[in-house]
Amino acid sequence: MSLQQDWDVIILGAGAAGLMCSATAGYQGLSVLVIDHAPKAAAKIRISGGGKCNFTNLDVTPKNYICRNPHFVKSALSRYPSSAFIELVDRHGLEYEERELGKLFCAHRASDLIQILRTECDWAGAQFSLKNAVERVTYRDQRYQVLTSQGRFSAKQLVVATGARSFPKLKASGFGYELAEQFGLRVLPQRPGLVPLNFSGKWQQRCAELSGISLDVAISAGSMRFAEAMLFTHQGISGPAVLQASNYWQEGEAIAVELLPTVDVLAELKKLRQGAGSLAKWLHGFWPKRFVNFWLALYPLQSEPANCNDAQLEAYARLLTHWELYPSQTGGYEKAEVTLGGVDTDEVSSKTFEAKKQPGLYFIGEVLDVTGQLGGFNFQWAWASAVACGIALGENR
Ligand SMILES: Cc1cc2nc3c(=O)[nH]c(=O)nc-3n(C[C@H](O)[C@H](O)[C@H](O)COP(=O)(O)OP(=O)(O)OC[C@H]3O[C@@H](n4cnc5c(N)ncnc54)[C@H](O)[C@@H]3O)c2cc1C
């Protein structure tokens, strides 16, 4: 079927935000065309959350987001809270499960959620043009002209929902930033987020030897602390605590690992001293043998606790509660779940997501300088920003 040329709204990007926005705009009677260069919509939803998509969180607050203007996210998140998205998936009978820290995942497959979004888009009458590369966008006579590999389309309103740089193998691109710059909008520098941290030299070798071991730790980076699991890999460290910390880590800085975050380490070491207990035996109560052996080889206590003075035990407790590691770099965009930075939120309205300098041009989702923590917050931002924008498209028709 060949598509008409002129539309009320063109949405670039058929990802989480693009799908949600097209349904919202379509329900308001607008003709909507969604263009994506990927062969299938919503590739990131499909693989997210280990194939089960952590699609929202029961406890979403502005504090779960990193943005140069911390107030920017408030309006959209309060107008479309996670309960609104849960209501939507409930209406479609999606089966889902709650995991730790309020995370909601599909009970079966992430594709069940994609099906719901595609159904909403169909009901709203939105049309799709996939495997279609956008070559050029111009603005003429108060309309956006979009030249693509499948022809020329035009619309009064253009929504940029092309996401960010993470996972280029899923067709992620920096297209949205280029488009923003083309229209004179400021774009903040980007870097990978929610990403494993790698080491070089002997620390990389040590991590490789420990690879596969997971420990329950708390990691501090900057002023943030995350108590979750840490996993050793062949290149360095990963796991939820590390991904979370990576959003706040800057190259050259240390991260501090609390290896026994639920234990009063100094008090326990003193008890060991009193009872003439063995440090190795005590550590075996918490860690796998491979990690105990590694730890004691690298950080031996001069002698068993029974022979240590207070200062020695205090220094050892400090090591266990503040193990400083210096990653050399992140795993890069290939391994990053998100991208920090992006289109400066000062350039767009927090109510409508329309560019302040360019009428009819909107930016939603991850292309903006808004990054959520791990736990369903990034998808919730995609849904909330998309709905606010979709409503505004109707009002500005
Ligand atoms: C491995 C992985 C796991 C994740 N797991 C979770 C999770 O469980 N929970 C969570 O909240 N978040 C998760 N995220 C983050 C989440 O996927 C993103 O924050 C979210 O998808 C952003 O939505 P978006 O619509 O802005 O961008 P996207 O969903 O990335 O969609 C952008 C779309 O634009 C298209 N596009 C890009 N460039 C062009 C172009 N030049 N022309 C046409 N189309 C273009 C892309 O093909 C894509 O379809 C995960 C990310 C990854 C990579």
Side-chain angles (χ1 to χ4, degrees):
M1 186 186 76
S2 79
L3 291 162
Q4 72 204 51
Q5 270 200 339
D6 298 329
W7 300 81
D8 294 325
V9 177
I10 292 177
I11 297 178
L12 303 181
L19 291 179
M20 196 68 180
C21 188
S22 58
T24 311
Y27 279 131
Q28 292 171 86
L30 298 168
S31 63
V32 180
L33 175 66
V34 187
I35 299 175
D36 199 304
H37 60 180
K40 280 186 172 176
K44 281 192 186 168
I45 297 182
R46 201 174 299 280
I47 60 143
S48 64
K52 291 197 168 186
C53 185
N54 176 197
F55 57 83
T56 194
N57 192 290
L58 292 175
D59 187 19
V60 177
T61 75
K63 290 208 175 93
N64 298 115
Y65 294 88
I66 302 168
C67 175
R68 203 168 64 113
N69 172 2
H71 303 292
F72 179 80
V73 297
K74 289 181 180 169
S75 170
L77 290 176
S78 66
R79 285 164 66 202
Y80 194 81
S82 55
S83 56
F85 193 74
I86 294 166
E87 224 170 81
L88 169 73
V89 298
D90 277 344
R91 260 189 276 126
H92 286 265
L94 179 76
E95 288 182 44
Y96 53 86
E97 58 196 31
E98 183 184 338
R99 297 199 196 158
E100 76 289 352
L101 305 171
K103 299 171 189 166
L104 297 190
F105 286 77
C106 297
H108 306 293
R109 290 164 304 273
S111 52
D112 297 340
L113 180 63
I114 300 176
Q115 191 50 54
I116 290 173
L117 295 169
R118 287 301 299 255
T119 301
E120 287 285 325
C121 291
D122 285 349
W123 288 347
Q127 297 286 311
F128 283 77
S129 177
L130 300 176
K131 248 181 164 175
N132 190 4
V134 179
E135 286 163 8
R136 193 152 37 94
V137 175
T138 52
Y139 186 60
R140 217 174 45 236
D141 302 329
Q142 301 189 341
R143 288 186 73 79
Y144 290 90
Q145 311 291 332
V146 182
L147 183 65
T148 74
S149 55
Q150 294 181 26
R152 187 183 292 273
F153 301 97
S154 95
K156 184 180 166 214
Q157 306 195 82
L158 181 71
V159 181
V160 184
T162 47
R165 295 187 189 281
S166 306
F167 264 59
K169 69 178 174 211
L170 293 184
K171 302 285 253 179
S173 80
F175 178 81
Y177 311 132
E178 288 158 29
L179 200 62
E181 280 171 347
Q182 179 192 327
F183 285 97
L185 313 191
R186 198 169 120 100
V187 177
L188 300 176
Q190 302 102 53
R191 63 188 170 89
L194 297 181
V195 62
L197 297 175
N198 293 347
F199 294 88
S200 54
K202 65 175 188 285
W203 275 100
Q204 193 228 310
Q205 269 170 13
R206 284 173 181 153
C207 289
E209 279 160 27
L210 296 170
S211 77
I213 293 179
S214 174
L215 302 175
D216 284 327
V217 301
I219 299 185
S220 299
S223 60
M224 301 298 287
R225 177 181 181 273
F226 298 97
E228 287 186 72
M230 173 174 89
L231 175 73
F232 290 94
T233 71
H234 280 96
Q235 282 76 40
I237 47 176
S238 187
V242 174
L243 300 186
Q244 295 276 37
S246 73
N247 276 353
Y248 301 89
W249 175 78
Q250 304 279 351
E251 245 177 83
E253 285 179 359
I255 56 164
V257 183
E258 291 168 54
L259 282 162
L260 299 168
T262 56
V263 177
D264 183 342
V265 175
L266 182 58
E268 290 300 316
L269 288 177
K270 285 183 175 168
K271 269 194 219 161
L272 275 184
R273 176 170 67 185
Q274 220 171 8
S278 140
L279 176 67
K281 204 166 160 203
W282 180 66
L283 291 175
H284 275 297
F286 300 103
W287 297 337
K289 192 171 165 197
R290 211 150 48 100
F291 190 73
V292 176
N293 292 345
F294 157 82
W295 181 261
L296 290 176
L298 197 61
Y299 305 110
L301 187 59
Q302 291 87 329
S303 131
E304 281 301 346
N307 306 318
C308 290
N309 60 29
D310 275 0
Q312 285 168 322
L313 289 192
E314 277 161 22
Y316 207 74
R318 169 96 183 141
L319 197 57
L320 286 163
T321 53
H322 198 87
W323 187 33
E324 279 200 346
L325 294 174
Y326 285 86
S328 55
Q329 76 248 351
T330 71
Y333 289 117
E334 280 72 22
K335 295 275 162 69
E337 290 196 7
V338 292
T339 302
L340 293 144
V343 176
D344 190 345
T345 55
D346 284 354
E347 299 280 12
V348 301
S349 155
S350 62
K351 307 264 179 313
T352 65
F353 293 86
E354 188 175 17
K356 292 175 183 167
K357 295 179 187 146
Q358 181 63 39
L361 181 64
Y362 300 77
F363 291 83
I364 56 172
E366 208 187 315
V367 69
L368 288 164
D369 167 39
V370 175
T371 306
Q373 295 174 345
L374 192 77
F377 302 105
N378 285 292
F379 280 131
Q380 184 57 34
W381 174 246
W383 318 135
S385 58
V387 169
C389 173
I391 292 167
L393 292 166
E395 289 166 355
N396 295 345
R397 73 180 69 213

